[in-house]
Amino acid sequence: MPYDNLILELKGGMGIIRINRPKALNALNAATCDELLAAARDLADNPDVRVVIVTGQGDKAFVAGADIQEMQPMNPMQGMAFSNKGHMAMSFLERMNKPVIAAVNGYALGGGFELALACDIIYAAEKAKVGFPEVTLGILPGFGGTQRTARLAGIARAKELIFSGKVISAREAYEMGLVNKVVPDGQLMEAVEGLAAAILSAGPVGVGLAKACINRSVSMDIDSGLDFEAEAFGLCFGTVDQKEGMTAFLEKRKPTYRGQ
Ligand code: DAK
């Protein structure tokens, strides 16, 4: 499918989605949310893709938020429809059974930071700035920011960041536990692709099931989570990958995984 607002690249097991609206610093409008969901579905269905990377085209912005121009005249029903589009795309990335890495190359504000937080892992360039300016626009984060920030950074830090609308550096976000790694400017994609390479050498079934287990850990009590983990662990023993991984270890060779 051709995309107007993003660029989709396939590169050695990686599916790279670049949000591409340079005139609006890659802000998310409804059409971009639709395309993001379509691209994520494409990559989920493509057996050659084992890691997904989301980034912003250009060197200034990851995504500078939801599109203020498009939102300004919305009525409540249009606002809800827009919110649903954003939620669908971000929840899909969060729940798909392939790891998703956000490469935050510049401004990740409002809906842009919410998109990064819906990814499994965030690497950010030193110059990147993140935050939730929504309250300065008379609204609140509407693409999951109130929920995901509190879970990652704790309630007090989430409240401080969201109530103040303060924009913070990548390093401050790292110190709050919102970003996995801060990388020198110009080395972001190299670092992200290095992480992707490590994931690509692992068994895709195990990685996908581990993602599902870890996601469940925030919404389940410990016993239910451990039961879920035990079932996922057991499932691996019916897969080609488990036989291949353990046989390769015993034969002292590198495994070749098929994701089956
Ligand atoms: N939307 C639309 N256009 C944007 C934009 C945005 N979020 N951010 C930047 N642009 C446009 C600017 O209007 C400008 O366009 P022209 O004037 O050239 O036509 C162009 O991008 C370049 O921006 P600047 O000239 O402002 O560039 P600067 O380097 O001076 O400043 C900046 C960069 C990122 C600091 C600044 O652009 C900025 O503050 N942008 C807005 C950031 C922001 O407030 N983001 C949060 C948006 S609110 C919801 C679900 C989700 C959300 C809301 C509701 N539902 C429940 C319905 C989420 C809301 C948000 O994300």
Coordinates of all heavy atoms in Angstrom, one line a residue, residues 23-25 27 60 64-69 71 79-80 82-83 107 109-112 114 133-134 137 139-143, ligand 1:
K23 N 6.3 19.4 6.9 CA 5.8 20.8 7.1 C 5.2 20.9 8.5 O 5.0 22.1 8.9 CB 4.7 21.0 6.0 CG 5.3 21.3 4.7 CD 4.3 21.7 3.7 CE 4.9 21.7 2.3 NZ 3.9 21.5 1.2
A24 N 4.8 19.9 9.1 CA 4.2 20.0 10.5 C 5.0 19.2 11.5 O 4.5 18.8 12.5 CB 2.8 19.4 10.4
L25 N 6.4 19.2 11.3 CA 7.3 18.5 12.2 C 6.7 17.1 12.6 O 6.7 16.6 13.7 CB 7.5 19.3 13.5 CG 8.2 20.6 13.3 CD1 8.5 21.3 14.7 CD2 9.5 20.5 12.5
A27 N 3.8 15.9 12.8 CA 2.6 15.8 13.7 C 1.6 14.8 13.1 O 1.5 14.6 11.9 CB 1.9 17.2 13.8
K60 N 14.8 17.0 12.9 CA 14.3 17.9 13.9 C 13.3 17.2 14.8 O 13.3 17.5 16.0 CB 13.7 19.1 13.2 CG 13.4 20.2 14.2 CD 13.1 21.5 13.5 CE 12.7 22.6 14.5 NZ 12.3 23.8 13.8
A64 N 6.0 15.9 16.5 CA 5.7 17.1 17.4 C 4.3 17.1 18.0 O 3.8 18.2 18.3 CB 6.0 18.3 16.7
G65 N 3.7 15.9 18.1 CA 2.4 15.9 18.7 C 1.3 15.5 17.7 O 1.5 15.2 16.6
A66 N 0.0 15.5 18.3 CA -1.1 15.4 17.4 C -1.2 16.8 16.6 O -0.7 17.8 17.1 CB -2.4 15.2 18.2
D67 N -1.8 16.7 15.4 CA -1.9 17.9 14.6 C -2.8 18.9 15.1 O -4.1 18.8 15.1 CB -2.3 17.4 13.2 CG -2.1 18.6 12.1 OD1 -2.5 19.7 12.5 OD2 -1.6 18.3 11.1
I68 N -2.3 20.0 15.6 CA -3.1 21.1 16.3 C -4.0 21.7 15.3 O -5.2 22.1 15.6 CB -2.1 22.1 17.0 CG1 -1.3 21.4 18.0 CG2 -3.0 23.2 17.6 CD1 -0.2 22.2 18.6
Q69 N -3.5 21.9 14.1 CA -4.3 22.5 13.0 C -5.6 21.7 12.7 O -6.7 22.3 12.6 CB -3.5 22.5 11.7 CG -4.1 23.2 10.5 CD -3.5 24.6 10.3 OE1 -2.4 24.8 10.6 NE2 -4.4 25.5 9.8
M71 N -6.9 19.5 14.8 CA -7.7 19.3 16.0 C -8.5 20.5 16.4 O -9.6 20.4 17.0 CB -6.8 18.9 17.2 CG -6.4 17.5 17.3 SD -5.6 17.2 18.9 CE -4.2 18.2 18.9
G79 N -13.4 14.6 18.2 CA -12.3 14.4 19.1 C -12.2 12.9 19.5 O -11.1 12.3 19.5
M80 N -13.4 12.3 19.8 CA -13.4 10.9 20.2 C -12.9 10.0 19.1 O -12.2 9.1 19.3 CB -14.8 10.5 20.7 CG -14.8 9.3 21.6 SD -16.4 8.7 21.9 CE -17.2 10.0 22.8
F82 N -11.0 10.8 16.6 CA -9.6 11.0 16.4 C -8.8 10.2 17.5 O -7.8 9.5 17.2 CB -9.2 12.5 16.5 CG -7.8 12.8 16.3 CD1 -7.1 12.3 15.2 CD2 -7.1 13.6 17.2 CE1 -5.8 12.6 15.0 CE2 -5.8 13.9 17.0 CZ -5.1 13.4 15.9
S83 N -9.3 10.3 18.7 CA -8.6 9.6 19.8 C -8.6 8.1 19.6 O -7.6 7.4 19.8 CB -9.3 9.9 21.2 OG -8.7 9.2 22.2
Y107 N 12.1 16.3 18.5 CA 11.0 16.5 19.4 C 10.0 15.3 19.4 O 9.6 14.8 18.3 CB 10.2 17.7 18.9 CG 10.9 19.1 19.1 CD1 11.4 19.8 18.0 CD2 11.0 19.6 20.4 CE1 12.0 21.0 18.3 CE2 11.6 20.8 20.6 CZ 12.1 21.5 19.5 OH 12.7 22.7 19.8
L109 N 6.7 15.2 21.3 CA 5.8 16.0 22.2 C 4.4 15.5 22.1 O 3.9 15.0 21.1 CB 5.8 17.5 21.9 CG 7.2 18.1 21.9 CD1 7.2 19.6 21.5 CD2 7.8 18.0 23.3
G110 N 3.7 15.5 23.2 CA 2.3 15.2 23.3 C 2.1 13.8 22.6 O 2.7 12.8 23.1
G111 N 1.2 13.7 21.6 CA 0.9 12.5 20.9 C 2.2 11.8 20.4 O 2.2 10.6 20.2
G112 N 3.2 12.6 20.1 CA 4.5 12.0 19.6 C 5.2 11.2 20.7 O 5.7 10.1 20.5
E114 N 3.6 10.0 23.3 CA 2.7 8.9 23.6 C 3.0 7.8 22.6 O 2.9 6.6 23.0 CB 1.2 9.4 23.5 CG 0.9 10.3 24.6 CD -0.5 10.9 24.5 OE1 -0.7 11.7 23.6 OE2 -1.3 10.7 25.4
P133 N 2.8 18.9 26.3 CA 2.3 20.2 26.3 C 0.8 20.3 26.3 O 0.3 21.5 26.2 CB 2.9 20.9 25.1 CG 3.7 19.9 24.4 CD 3.4 18.5 24.9
E134 N 0.1 19.2 26.3 CA -1.4 19.3 26.1 C -2.1 20.2 27.0 O -3.0 21.0 26.6 CB -2.0 17.9 26.3 CG -1.8 16.9 25.1 CD -0.5 16.1 25.2 OE1 0.4 16.5 25.9 OE2 -0.5 15.0 24.5
L137 N -2.6 23.6 25.9 CA -3.5 23.8 24.8 C -5.0 23.6 25.3 O -5.9 23.5 24.5 CB -3.2 22.8 23.7 CG -1.9 22.9 23.0 CD1 -1.5 21.6 22.3 CD2 -1.8 24.1 22.1
I139 N -6.2 20.9 26.8 CA -6.6 19.5 26.8 C -5.7 18.7 27.7 O -4.9 19.2 28.5 CB -6.7 18.9 25.4 CG1 -5.3 19.1 24.7 CG2 -7.8 19.6 24.6 CD1 -5.2 18.3 23.3
L140 N -5.8 17.4 27.6 CA -4.8 16.5 28.3 C -4.3 15.4 27.4 O -4.9 15.2 26.3 CB -5.6 15.8 29.5 CG -6.5 14.7 29.3 CD1 -6.7 13.8 30.5 CD2 -7.9 15.2 28.8
P141 N -3.3 14.7 27.7 CA -2.8 13.6 26.8 C -3.9 12.6 26.5 O -4.5 12.1 27.5 CB -1.6 13.0 27.6 CG -1.2 14.0 28.6 CD -2.4 14.8 28.9
G142 N -4.1 12.4 25.3 CA -5.3 11.6 24.9 C -4.9 10.3 24.1 O -5.8 9.6 23.7
F143 N -3.6 10.0 24.0 CA -3.2 8.8 23.3 C -2.5 7.9 24.3 O -1.5 7.3 23.9 CB -2.3 9.1 22.1 CG -3.0 9.7 20.9 CD1 -2.3 10.5 20.0 CD2 -4.3 9.5 20.6 CE1 -2.9 11.0 18.9 CE2 -5.0 10.0 19.5 CZ -4.2 10.8 18.6
Ligands
DAK1 N1 0.6 20.3 14.9 C1 0.5 21.0 13.7 N2 1.6 21.6 13.2 C2 2.7 21.7 14.0 C3 2.8 21.0 15.2 C4 1.7 20.3 15.7 N3 1.7 19.5 16.8 N4 4.0 21.2 15.7 C5 4.7 22.0 14.8 N5 3.9 22.3 13.8 C6 4.1 23.1 12.6 C7 4.2 24.6 13.0 O1 2.9 25.1 13.0 C8 5.0 25.1 11.9 O2 4.2 25.3 10.7 P1 4.3 26.6 9.7 O3 4.1 27.7 10.6 O4 5.8 26.5 9.2 O5 3.3 26.3 8.7 C9 6.0 24.0 11.6 O6 5.5 22.8 12.1 C10 7.4 24.2 12.3 O7 7.1 24.5 13.6 P2 7.8 25.8 14.4 O8 8.0 26.9 13.5 O9 6.9 26.0 15.6 O10 9.2 25.2 14.8 P3 10.1 25.6 16.1 O11 11.4 25.0 15.8 O12 10.0 27.1 16.3 O13 9.4 24.9 17.3 C11 8.3 23.1 18.5 C12 9.3 23.5 17.4 C13 8.1 21.6 18.4 C14 8.8 23.5 19.9 C15 7.0 23.8 18.2 O14 6.6 23.6 16.8 C16 5.8 23.4 19.1 O15 5.7 23.7 20.2 N6 4.9 22.6 18.5 C17 3.7 22.1 19.1 C18 4.1 21.0 20.1 C19 2.9 20.6 20.9 O16 2.2 21.4 21.6 N7 2.6 19.3 20.8 C20 1.5 18.7 21.4 C21 0.3 18.8 20.5 S1 -1.1 18.3 21.4 C22 -6.5 13.4 21.7 C23 -5.6 12.5 21.5 C24 -4.2 13.0 21.5 C25 -4.0 14.3 21.7 C26 -5.0 15.2 21.8 C27 -6.3 14.8 21.8 N8 -7.9 13.0 21.7 C28 -8.3 12.5 23.0 C29 -8.8 13.6 20.8 C30 -2.6 14.8 21.6 C31 -2.4 16.1 21.6 C32 -1.2 16.7 21.3 O17 -0.2 16.0 20.9

